Amino acid sequence: MDYAFKQLFGNEKNKDITVVFLNAILRKTGRKQIKDISFANTESGGEYADDKQSRLDLLVVTIDDEWINVEIQFTNQYDMIKRSLYYWSGAYRGPFKRSMAYKQLRPVIAVNILNFNLFQQTERFHTTYHLYEDEERFQLTDVMEFHFIEMPKLIKDWKEDRLNPWNNTLARWLLMLGLVDTKNSKIYHDIYRELEVISMKDKSLRDAFQHWEELSMSQEQYLAYESRLKRVMDEEAAQREAELRAQEAEREGREKGIKEGREEGDKKAREAVAKRLLANGEEIDFVVETTELSKERVIELQQEVQN
């Protein structure tokens, strides 16, 4: 999904499509509409190589001439919230130069489109976050805004008829992104058919389908996509193998601990029997044969009994 998204929306010639898509997202928080986009590189340093391929950084200008950095991110499930905060902070402080005033720092909106569920507290597929005062709930600033879109919840809503793409522009675009789940060998033909009908009345969506088909027909793009998919799957397989190895080591550790505990408990029980036999005057050799303790240990126990 990250590769397809960047090819479609991270392309200067598809600027109009990208504007429509972003406005559908930002409409939820009442932001002013975007009128233009710059595809200038605003990435901060220190990223993982995979993160660079899974992010799209845009500089947008609204109809009120407010400039905003928008970071769109697709990444794995590990530390997703902290990753988003990290990249938000880089995009916020990155443009700051000497002699600039702090008021010149632009708002940064982080949009995280996730192919997994992140929040257990809600069934909503699109949640937004800002800084608010704890008790009276007034907003501290509008320079920080986070969007999290969980694709499995979106698909679930569509399947259960809780989502109507005919009257929900954002739902249309997200469903288009979720049409193909290559890793799980899934293609949602029913979603495609409905969006195809909707696109007859939605020019932006129709244009997006057309551009996507052009990408699909390009051998160069196909090979690049296959390479990207293989890398993602290899990384996930390596992560899964590491998890399984850790689980196996933990299981072996528990089993070893249980075995050692049993052996230690058995030894203590045999030593208790040995002490009783010695206290009754039994010979050392008889005690050794009966308890299977070493002769040296039986002699030590005899000294303890005598003391």
Side-chain angles (χ1 to χ4, degrees):
M1 187 168 61
D2 60 345
Y3 179 84
F5 185 94
K6 289 188 75 172
Q7 295 303 311
L8 183 63
F9 294 101
N11 192 319
E12 182 76 29
K13 72 176 184 178
N14 296 338
K15 181 184 292 188
D16 292 344
I17 295 174
T18 310
V19 167
V20 173
F21 176 75
L22 287 179
N23 279 327
I25 292 179
L26 302 187
R27 186 178 298 123
K28 182 179 176 69
T29 56
R31 287 278 181 180
K32 295 294 185 180
Q33 280 201 322
I34 296 169
K35 68 177 183 181
D36 198 11
I37 295 178
S38 167
F39 292 87
N41 183 8
T42 59
E43 291 185 355
S44 55
E47 308 92 338
Y48 293 105
D50 186 56
D51 288 350
K52 287 184 177 181
Q53 290 192 315
S54 295
R55 287 179 30 241
L56 177 63
D57 304 319
L58 305 168
L59 183 58
V60 306
V61 58
T62 70
I63 57 176
D64 284 350
D65 286 330
E66 180 184 27
W67 290 84
I68 300 175
N69 285 346
V70 177
E71 291 244 321
I72 301 177
Q73 186 170 196
F74 302 81
T75 84
N76 61 33
Q77 302 185 33
Y78 299 94
D79 299 316
M80 187 63 237
I81 296 173
K82 289 184 178 180
R83 281 176 183 239
S84 186
L85 284 165
Y86 172 76
Y87 290 122
W88 177 91
S89 65
Y92 183 65
R93 71 175 185 274
F96 193 76
K97 308 297 182 192
R98 293 182 64 180
S99 77
M100 282 182 63
Y102 286 110
K103 68 179 181 180
Q104 293 176 275
L105 286 171
R106 297 188 290 260
V108 173
I109 299 173
V111 179
N112 303 278
I113 302 177
L114 314 176
N115 205 21
F116 56 89
N117 288 336
L118 180 63
F119 300 108
Q120 304 302 318
Q121 304 94 321
T122 180
E123 290 299 315
R124 290 184 295 120
F125 68 86
H126 183 190
T127 52
T128 58
Y129 303 85
H130 301 82
L131 286 176
Y132 288 96
E133 201 281 329
D134 286 345
E135 294 186 18
E136 298 185 41
R137 308 301 298 163
F138 57 85
Q139 192 172 336
L140 177 65
T141 177
D142 68 346
V143 301
M144 175 182 281
E145 180 171 311
F146 291 88
H147 293 251
F148 287 90
I149 295 172
E150 300 165 86
M151 294 297 289
K153 291 179 181 178
L154 171 89
I155 300 296
K156 184 172 183 288
D157 280 355
W158 186 85
K159 287 181 176 179
E160 297 177 359
D161 292 326
R162 293 199 301 266
L163 189 67
N164 184 357
W166 286 89
N167 59 19
N168 187 327
T169 305
L170 178 59
R172 298 175 200 172
W173 292 99
L174 295 176
L175 284 171
M176 187 182 72
L177 285 175
L179 272 174
V180 179
D181 184 356
T182 307
K183 288 190 295 182
N184 296 314
S185 301
K186 281 187 179 180
I187 300 176
Y188 295 102
H189 296 286
D190 44 0
I191 294 178
Y192 178 83
R193 285 192 293 270
E194 183 166 9
L195 292 181
E196 192 174 34
V197 175
I198 294 174
S199 70
M200 295 300 100
K201 297 183 178 181
D202 184 337
K203 183 180 183 303
S204 295
L205 188 65
R206 187 165 66 251
D207 290 344
F209 269 121
Q210 181 179 343
H211 288 302
W212 221 336
E213 286 171 1
E214 290 172 0
L215 288 174
S216 302
M217 290 185 290
S218 164
Q219 180 71 5
E220 181 183 356
Q221 293 289 352
Y222 177 77
L223 293 175
Y225 164 76
E226 285 289 307
S227 174
R228 171 66 181 147
L229 179 62
K230 182 180 183 301
R231 177 176 176 176
V232 170
M233 296 187 75
D234 286 348
E235 288 174 353
E236 291 187 352
Q239 290 170 347
R240 181 57 180 159
E241 183 176 354
E243 290 172 357
L244 291 174
R245 287 180 181 274
Q247 292 171 6
E248 181 68 16
E250 183 180 355
R251 183 182 62 79
E252 291 177 355
R254 285 200 303 268
E255 291 178 353
K256 182 179 179 183
I258 292 171
K259 181 179 179 182
E260 291 176 348
R262 286 174 178 168
E263 291 175 350
E264 183 65 23
D266 181 54
K267 181 180 179 183
K268 288 183 182 297
R270 288 184 285 123
E271 288 178 347
V273 171
K275 283 185 176 181
R276 287 198 297 273
L277 293 173
L278 291 167
N280 291 332
E282 298 292 346
E283 296 292 332
I284 287 177
D285 289 341
F286 175 77
V287 175
V288 169
E289 183 180 354
T290 301
T291 62
E292 297 183 350
L293 294 169
S294 67
K295 189 170 185 177
E296 291 78 6
R297 182 55 181 155
V298 171
I299 293 173
E300 291 175 357
L301 293 173
Q302 185 183 54
Q303 292 172 349
E304 291 179 12
V305 170
Q306 292 173 349
N307 293 333

